[in-house]
Amino acid sequence: MCSCEVNYSCACGKSMPLIYLFFCKYCVTLRCPKCVSHEVDSYYCPHCLENIPSAEAKSMKNKCTNCLECPNCTNIVQVRSAQVPMVRREAGKVKGFGQFKKVYYLQCSFCFWTTRDINDLPDKAAPNGPWIEAATEDTWMINIINYYRNLIQREKFEMEKRKRQRRGSFLGSLGISEKLLPFSKLSRTSFSMNLAGSGQYDENIINNFTPVEPDEETEPADEKYYSAPGEPYEYASIASRINQPSNQVNTSSELKPNCTHLMVKRSQRCRECEHNLSKPEFNPSSIKFKIHQIALRFVPRFRIVKAVTLEADKYCSIQCSLTNPTEYNLPVEFLPLSDDHPYNSKITADVILPQKELILAARDDTAEYGAEGLTKEFDDDPDIVIERRMNKLKFIIQVKPYSSGEVRIGFHLKYKYKNMTPSIRPEEQKDPEDVNVTPCVTVCLGKV
């Protein structure tokens, strides 16, 4: 397969590959990720696969406290055990018992970073329990949070105040006094109470806040960084420092393990009819879906089979393929773009499409294990159709680039969609209804 880009147009006009699109069976149209509403179903840890309620995930700042990541390579660290001698102090001297005790520490199996490299994180006597304490925010971070929190409250207060002033000016232009309106006193009292509750901010914190100013001159780096050889993970990377903003360090031995970020299971809903297009199962260890209306299961897939060398002002034969994802025979037609189509300005080549209707065989998962379906007879034109195998059809189109540069073509792919779901059909309609669907397909064939 060549590295050509094939995009399908959504109902909103955006073009993207078919694998990113959804198909709404109720609207009978394609939907892109911008045309669907995303809803969070559940939070879970990707390592321990534990479901976490929304309120608890918010209080834990969307992090799992049981699973820790390596600060260097972000792999999950494992608990390791070691034997250390037991000691006691007598008269200011340390003496050994001759006995050993088992202690536990964390180690990354990829870069071999351990918590023993950190001075303020000693070994633990038990394998379970919290390894890192709750991080205490620095004074400068607390000041920044308080400043922006008060700034947001002041903006909300001023916004509500402007709304109140616009309402009063509108009534004054009509010659109506606000005192004559029913429940005006009650409304004014409730409005002032709402402002007092929503606008609690400290003006002194906003006025006395001093932002950090950058230094004009920076200190030169130590010469050892240029001359002495160093290990790959000896110094902390920029990504490691960003993950721990309150712990600005230079070497990786001063970094502490990070808590694993939680992941979410989302369901997508059509914005027009508000029906679910995708809904995963609640179990974090399951990759199945309760509802999964991706476009790959409903729309025939157009692909470029064989790459050819294109020449300007000369027709070139390009082998393409169509795959039928449905369980019934699918007739497909190719239609040219209309003159007022917005994609006409981007087309840089002339294309000769098949004039006849192409019939795609139904998808049969058992056909590849037997001889059935491989040699099914269809009335195909040998000048157009190259090969037919199960639900896949290979054919030829002619493309003539206008000039040198990027070659782009576009057309409409018309096919008949059958509503096979009985629950969304009218009661009086027993047979599936055929609906014509005509998505716009744009293909980038490379450069001349």
Side-chain angles (χ1 to χ4, degrees):
M1 300 295 291
C2 63
S3 59
C4 298
E5 182 180 357
V6 180
N7 294 331
Y8 284 69
S9 294
C10 171
C12 64
K14 294 183 179 179
S15 297
M16 56 183 59
L18 194 63
I19 57 175
Y20 299 116
L21 296 176
F22 298 91
F23 184 82
C24 182
K25 296 190 293 185
Y26 301 87
C27 303
V28 196
T29 185
L30 294 175
R31 299 294 182 192
C32 67
K34 297 293 184 181
C35 297
V36 299
S37 57
H38 301 263
E39 302 174 357
V40 177
D41 290 345
S42 61
Y43 293 86
Y44 70 96
C45 175
H47 179 64
C48 62
L49 299 178
E50 179 184 358
N51 266 321
I52 300 175
S54 302
E56 187 177 352
K58 186 177 181 181
S59 63
M60 294 191 305
K61 298 182 179 179
N62 294 331
K63 294 182 180 180
C64 180
T65 56
N66 300 326
C67 304
L68 299 176
E69 294 180 349
C70 174
N72 287 331
C73 60
T74 66
N75 282 289
I76 300 297
V77 293
Q78 306 293 336
V79 180
R80 304 298 183 191
S81 61
Q83 299 285 343
V84 296
M86 299 177 64
V87 295
R88 65 179 179 180
R89 290 182 177 272
E90 291 183 359
K93 297 181 180 180
V94 178
K95 296 183 179 180
F97 279 108
Q99 299 178 358
F100 292 86
K101 65 176 181 179
K102 182 180 289 188
V103 294
Y104 300 90
Y105 63 96
L106 298 177
Q107 183 183 16
C108 176
S109 57
F110 183 76
C111 65
F112 299 102
W113 176 89
T114 64
T115 54
R116 289 188 164 187
D117 300 334
I118 307 175
N119 297 327
D120 57 346
L121 193 62
D123 298 338
K124 300 287 185 180
N128 52 2
W131 285 89
I132 55 176
E133 299 178 355
T136 57
E137 297 177 345
D138 295 336
T139 306
W140 63 274
M141 182 65 72
I142 295 175
N143 293 337
I144 292 175
I145 294 174
N146 291 336
Y147 168 73
Y148 282 104
R149 183 181 290 118
N150 285 272
L151 191 63
I152 291 172
Q153 292 295 336
R154 187 177 71 174
E155 290 179 354
K156 288 183 179 180
F157 177 80
E158 293 177 352
M159 187 181 300
E160 294 290 339
K161 192 175 181 180
R162 285 194 297 269
K163 289 182 180 178
R164 182 71 176 179
Q165 290 176 354
R166 286 198 299 268
R167 179 173 176 269
S169 61
F170 174 73
L171 294 176
S173 63
L174 298 177
I176 302 175
S177 176
E178 193 175 354
K179 297 180 180 180
L180 301 178
L181 293 176
F183 309 107
S184 60
K185 185 176 180 180
L186 180 62
S187 63
R188 288 196 300 270
T189 305
S190 62
F191 177 74
S192 61
M193 292 176 63
N194 291 335
L195 284 184
S198 63
Q200 294 179 357
Y201 65 93
D202 192 352
E203 194 71 28
N204 295 327
I205 295 179
I206 299 176
N207 297 332
N208 298 333
F209 178 75
T210 55
V212 179
E213 297 181 357
D215 297 332
E216 296 182 357
E217 297 182 0
T218 58
E219 297 181 0
D222 196 347
E223 293 294 335
K224 67 177 182 180
Y225 297 128
Y226 302 102
S227 57
E231 298 181 0
Y233 294 107
E234 181 179 357
Y235 304 107
S237 61
I238 296 178
S240 302
R241 298 185 186 187
I242 292 176
N243 291 332
Q244 300 180 8
S246 60
N247 186 21
Q248 295 293 327
V249 298
N250 293 327
T251 59
S252 60
S253 60
E254 300 175 288
L255 292 172
K256 295 183 179 180
N258 301 318
C259 295
T260 305
H261 289 270
L262 299 180
M263 300 187 72
V264 298
K265 283 203 169 188
R266 299 178 301 170
S267 61
Q268 284 80 17
R269 189 184 297 271
C270 179
R271 293 183 184 270
E272 296 293 333
C273 60
E274 297 185 355
H275 285 91
N276 277 326
L277 302 179
S278 175
K279 189 173 182 63
E281 289 188 354
F282 185 76
N283 188 6
S285 60
S286 176
I287 60 173
K288 297 181 180 179
F289 288 83
K290 298 178 181 178
I291 303 173
H292 200 39
Q293 298 181 17
I294 58 173
L296 284 174
R297 299 175 57 186
F298 300 94
V299 182
R301 189 174 186 180
F302 179 88
R303 289 187 289 184
I304 305 298
V305 177
K306 187 177 181 180
V308 296
T309 304
L310 300 175
E311 298 180 9
D313 296 331
K314 184 179 180 181
Y315 280 101
C316 304
S317 298
I318 298 179
Q319 296 184 13
C320 309
S321 69
L322 277 174
T323 306
N324 181 15
T326 62
E327 298 177 354
Y328 50 87
N329 292 343
L330 193 65
V332 177
E333 295 182 23
F334 292 90
L335 302 177
L337 298 179
S338 57
D339 297 336
D340 56 346
H341 198 275
Y343 193 77
N344 276 331
S345 59
K346 300 180 181 179
I347 290 179
T348 59
D350 188 15
V351 57
I352 299 178
L353 301 169
Q355 301 298 323
K356 294 184 178 181
E357 186 180 62
L358 302 179
I359 307 297
L360 302 181
R363 179 178 60 88
D364 187 5
D365 296 335
T366 62
E368 59 180 331
Y369 300 105
E372 301 182 16
L374 300 181
T375 60
K376 196 169 183 178
E377 294 296 333
F378 286 92
D379 187 13
D380 296 332
D381 187 357
D383 297 334
I384 299 176
V385 178
I386 303 174
E387 181 185 359
R388 179 185 291 274
R389 182 177 178 83
M390 293 184 292
N391 62 331
K392 189 175 182 180
L393 178 69
K394 295 182 181 180
F395 59 97
I396 294 177
I397 61 174
Q398 302 290 333
V399 176
K400 183 179 73 171
Y402 296 145
S403 60
S404 59
E406 197 171 39
V407 180
R408 289 182 178 271
I409 60 174
F411 52 87
H412 287 289
L413 189 65
K414 182 181 178 181
Y415 68 97
K416 291 183 179 180
Y417 166 72
K418 288 186 179 181
N419 186 4
M420 305 296 290
T421 308
S423 59
I424 63 177
R425 293 201 303 262
E427 296 180 358
E428 61 274 5
Q429 182 182 349
K430 297 181 180 180
D431 298 331
E433 180 185 1
D434 293 345
V435 181
N436 290 327
V437 184
T438 314
C440 176
V441 181
T442 57
V443 185
C444 178
L445 299 173
K447 296 183 178 180
V448 176

